[in-house]
Amino acid sequence: MRTLSKSKFISGVQCPKKLWLEWYRPELKPPLDAATEKLFATGHEIGKLAWLKFPNGKDATPADYKNLSVSLGNTKIWLEQGVETIYEASFSAGNAFCMLDILHRNQGELWAIEVKNSTSVKDYHLMDASLQYWVMNEAGFAPDRFFLMHINNQYIRKGEITSDLFTLTEITDEVIGNQDFVGDKLKELGQLSLMETEPEVSIGLHCSNPFGCDFQHYCWAHVPENSVFELTRMGAKAWDLFNQGIQRMEEIPEDYPLSDSQVLQLRGLKFNETYCDAPAIRNFLNAWECPLHFFDFETIMPAIPVLDGTRPYQQVPFQYSLHVLDENQNREHFEFLASPEAFSGGNPRKNLIEELKKDFRNVGSIVTYNKSFEVSRLRELAEAFPEDAEFLQGLIERIVDLYDVFRNRWFYHPAMKNSASIKSVLPALFPNFSYGDLNISDGMTASDSYLGAVQNCEALDLELKNNLLKYCELDTYAMVLIYGFLKDLDGTNDERK
């Protein structure tokens, strides 16, 4: 019978087939992507920072995770000696083991503290904490109180990071209430580990709850292309259809109730049909004022604030691209990319504002794609720099949203499928333009690449700098192209070829 860690236990709770595949078919699991590796690294860094709240503890972190005997032994000895705080306290009981982030004695009580990099308590946090309580209790060291230590999203950095970055939420009652479930589930998963053949589990909502499954490509291999799951905003309806044997979008009965957006997508698939509400588009665009400013921010969103005056997970702009198009269709491009070194003792957000003042003209609409993002960043800048609030508020009042044309389905092209994002719209209208040709082709990669330089206090190398600039520039150039296409629906557009 295999031993269960808390991560394996959570996998088994989500789906027994997922756990069995992790044990017996690990070769099916794709390699960790950069985003996942970064998430793990962030979690490790936050775990170490959490020690600041309970300093001077003894560290039971194992030197070899394949051999926990030393960690288990040290934990037992230190508990018997009355050590006040133990980091990575290790326990084993039955077919399970756990390592607790922080074990702390407080006025005669034994506190179990699990650290998470989220800003609130999630259901799966309660479940893995419940397993930890079960193991500790069975091992003879039941904690008096159990806490989740998570990020305090109201914390504002001022100088060095302090323990106020974290907040404690007690979850003792919830954890104790789950003990019968944990005991029964451990028995069930223990038997699962003895199975020689893969368990039969149908695909379902559990495939993505609470996490996307690494084995979805394997379990979903029978799901056809253009399945009902690809129809926009279908939600539970897609499962209803799939479980009835209706798997492809083309198989959906004509009398099945669909939204207008879903009908457009379905007709686009069946008949390669493009839809255009030209009067709505014309009225929308004609309300814009020249010169047009096509504008886009790039941001970092670190769990641990890297800049004074910012909160955990706050979107901090470090770059922008701006294309200005006058009434004669003359186009100029402006760009800004903060120096990563400026985040260490400098003022990169103030530098960005000063560049905005230089690059924006006093009149003319500011075109964004999903304006809520740019509006929110400008408002945050106005709050942080009240001396510039009037200028920044003036920009906000001029913002219009090109996304509305596609979100409202005034225009739909079959190649957009179920998405109205700019990364779907651009290649649908201009096949020769694609983000896939760039070394940095999405905002997450841009953000992570830049944040790495900030955290290491190092200058951008020339290749990374150029890649960041090219990516952000394409975002605003894409808006210029799309705008031109919409204005020229009845004419021609050479750049569309």
Side-chain angles (χ1 to χ4, degrees):
M1 186 176 293
R2 290 181 176 244
T3 303
L4 287 150
S5 64
K6 66 177 183 179
S7 62
K8 288 288 191 288
F9 180 74
I10 293 299
S11 288
V13 171
Q14 179 175 350
C15 174
K17 184 176 179 179
K18 176 184 179 184
L19 177 59
W20 192 92
L21 291 171
E22 287 179 354
W23 276 332
Y24 296 107
R25 298 292 307 276
E27 74 279 3
L28 295 175
K29 202 170 185 176
L32 290 179
D33 57 25
T36 304
E37 288 181 345
K38 185 176 187 324
L39 187 64
F40 288 157
T42 298
H44 180 73
E45 184 180 4
I46 286 174
K48 292 291 186 181
L49 277 173
W51 295 2
L52 294 173
K53 209 167 184 73
F54 299 93
N56 306 316
K58 286 184 173 290
D59 186 4
T61 302
D64 180 3
Y65 282 86
K66 294 181 180 179
N67 182 6
L68 298 176
S69 59
V70 175
S71 299
L72 292 166
N74 284 339
T75 298
K76 186 174 185 296
I77 291 170
W78 293 340
L79 277 167
E80 292 171 347
Q81 291 175 346
V83 170
E84 182 176 297
T85 303
I86 303 172
Y87 308 133
E88 299 297 336
S90 300
F91 303 92
S92 178
N95 62 328
F97 75 89
C98 69
M99 289 185 291
L100 184 73
D101 289 320
I102 301 171
L103 188 63
H104 177 68
R105 293 187 185 276
N106 185 71
Q107 298 180 354
E109 292 183 334
L110 189 62
W111 287 9
I113 302 163
E114 185 67 7
V115 181
K116 299 296 182 182
N117 60 4
S118 68
T119 58
S120 62
V121 179
K122 313 293 186 186
D123 287 345
Y124 65 87
H125 295 159
L126 298 175
M127 191 51 62
D128 69 36
S130 299
L131 173 72
Q132 290 174 307
Y133 185 97
W134 188 93
V135 176
M136 294 175 69
N137 183 48
E138 291 292 315
F141 298 102
D144 298 293
R145 301 174 73 181
F146 210 115
F147 295 89
L148 195 80
M149 185 189 292
H150 55 86
I151 299 292
N152 171 15
N153 60 6
Q154 300 305 307
Y155 172 83
I156 297 177
R157 179 168 184 165
K158 296 177 182 177
E160 292 298 316
I161 296 292
T162 69
S163 63
D164 291 333
L165 174 66
F166 301 98
T167 188
L168 285 175
T169 299
E170 185 167 1
I171 56 173
T172 309
D173 290 343
E174 293 90 334
V175 163
I176 291 176
N178 285 334
Q179 289 308 290
D180 288 344
F181 173 85
V182 171
D184 292 343
K185 182 59 69 171
L186 283 171
K187 291 177 184 177
E188 176 188 323
L189 298 179
Q191 293 303 310
L192 177 75
S193 72
L194 302 176
M195 291 178 58
E196 295 183 359
T197 57
E198 177 184 307
E200 294 185 10
V201 180
S202 300
I203 63 173
L205 292 170
H206 59 273
C207 294
S208 57
N209 183 30
F211 308 107
C213 181
D214 291 322
F215 300 100
Q216 184 164 333
H217 65 286
Y218 172 73
C219 298
W220 286 56
H222 64 291
V223 176
E225 187 178 2
N226 297 319
S227 75
V228 292
F229 300 111
E230 297 175 52
L231 193 56
T232 183
R233 298 183 179 180
M234 279 293 282
K237 287 184 177 181
W239 288 107
D240 291 339
L241 290 169
F242 191 82
N243 292 331
Q244 294 174 39
I246 301 170
Q247 298 189 1
R248 299 178 184 273
M249 283 190 277
E250 304 97 304
E251 298 170 350
I252 297 175
E254 291 187 5
D255 60 348
Y256 190 85
L258 296 174
S259 69
D260 291 343
S261 294
Q262 291 164 348
V263 169
L264 286 179
Q265 185 184 348
L266 189 55
R267 291 189 64 83
L269 175 64
K270 285 184 173 181
F271 311 116
N272 197 32
E273 186 174 280
T274 296
Y275 175 80
C276 177
D277 185 344
I281 295 171
R282 190 178 305 115
N283 291 338
F284 183 63
L285 299 185
N286 286 346
W288 296 1
E289 181 183 357
C290 286
L292 300 179
H293 301 69
F294 297 86
F295 180 61
D296 179 67
F297 273 132
E298 297 300 331
T299 64
I300 53 174
M301 192 177 67
I304 303 168
V306 294
L307 191 63
D308 281 359
T310 62
R311 301 181 306 278
Y313 294 112
Q314 180 176 336
Q315 299 267 13
V316 179
F318 66 88
Q319 179 183 11
Y320 69 76
S321 175
L322 172 67
H323 277 90
V324 178
L325 190 68
D326 67 19
E327 55 274 9
N328 297 316
Q329 302 302 297
N330 297 313
R331 187 174 70 232
E332 292 184 89
H333 180 246
F334 306 91
E335 59 190 6
F336 170 81
L337 178 60
S339 166
E341 303 98 301
F343 282 78
S344 179
N347 208 336
R349 292 191 296 169
K350 184 66 173 179
N351 298 342
L352 181 146
I353 293 171
E354 294 306 316
E355 292 302 313
L356 290 175
K357 290 179 179 178
K358 294 177 185 177
D359 293 342
F360 274 92
R361 301 185 187 178
N362 294 329
V363 296
S365 296
I366 299 171
V367 185
T368 61
Y369 207 92
N370 196 7
K371 71 178 183 181
S372 60
F373 183 79
E374 273 68 32
V375 168
S376 295
R377 305 295 78 77
L378 291 169
R379 283 178 177 160
E380 289 163 357
L381 290 172
E383 181 180 349
F385 302 95
E387 68 275 15
D388 298 309
E390 182 178 357
F391 164 72
L392 295 166
Q393 183 59 37
L395 296 182
I396 291 172
E397 292 171 357
R398 293 159 54 189
I399 287 180
V400 295
D401 198 346
L402 186 59
Y403 183 36
D404 285 350
V405 173
F406 304 97
R407 173 169 47 195
N408 295 331
R409 291 297 194 263
W410 297 335
F411 185 91
Y412 178 78
H413 188 285
M416 291 163 51
K417 295 186 177 179
N418 62 355
S419 173
S421 76
I422 197 167
K423 292 178 176 60
S424 297
V425 172
L426 178 65
L429 304 184
F430 299 91
N432 287 343
F433 288 89
S434 170
Y435 286 81
D437 298 332
L438 302 177
N439 290 322
I440 291 179
S441 58
D442 62 89
M444 181 65 74
T445 302
S447 177
D448 289 347
S449 300
Y450 186 84
L451 181 57
V454 171
Q455 292 171 329
N456 294 325
C457 298
E458 60 186 21
L460 295 172
D461 63 57
L462 185 59
E463 182 179 6
L464 177 55
K465 179 179 179 179
N466 288 336
N467 288 338
L468 288 167
L469 291 173
K470 287 178 182 177
Y471 169 70
C472 195
E473 180 180 359
L474 183 55
D475 269 345
T476 52
Y477 183 55
M479 286 189 275
V480 173
L481 290 175
I482 294 168
Y483 168 78
F485 171 86
L486 297 173
K487 289 288 286 185
D488 195 30
L489 282 171
D490 297 324
T492 60
N493 189 321
D494 292 339
E495 291 185 279
R496 190 183 174 199
K497 296 177 182 177

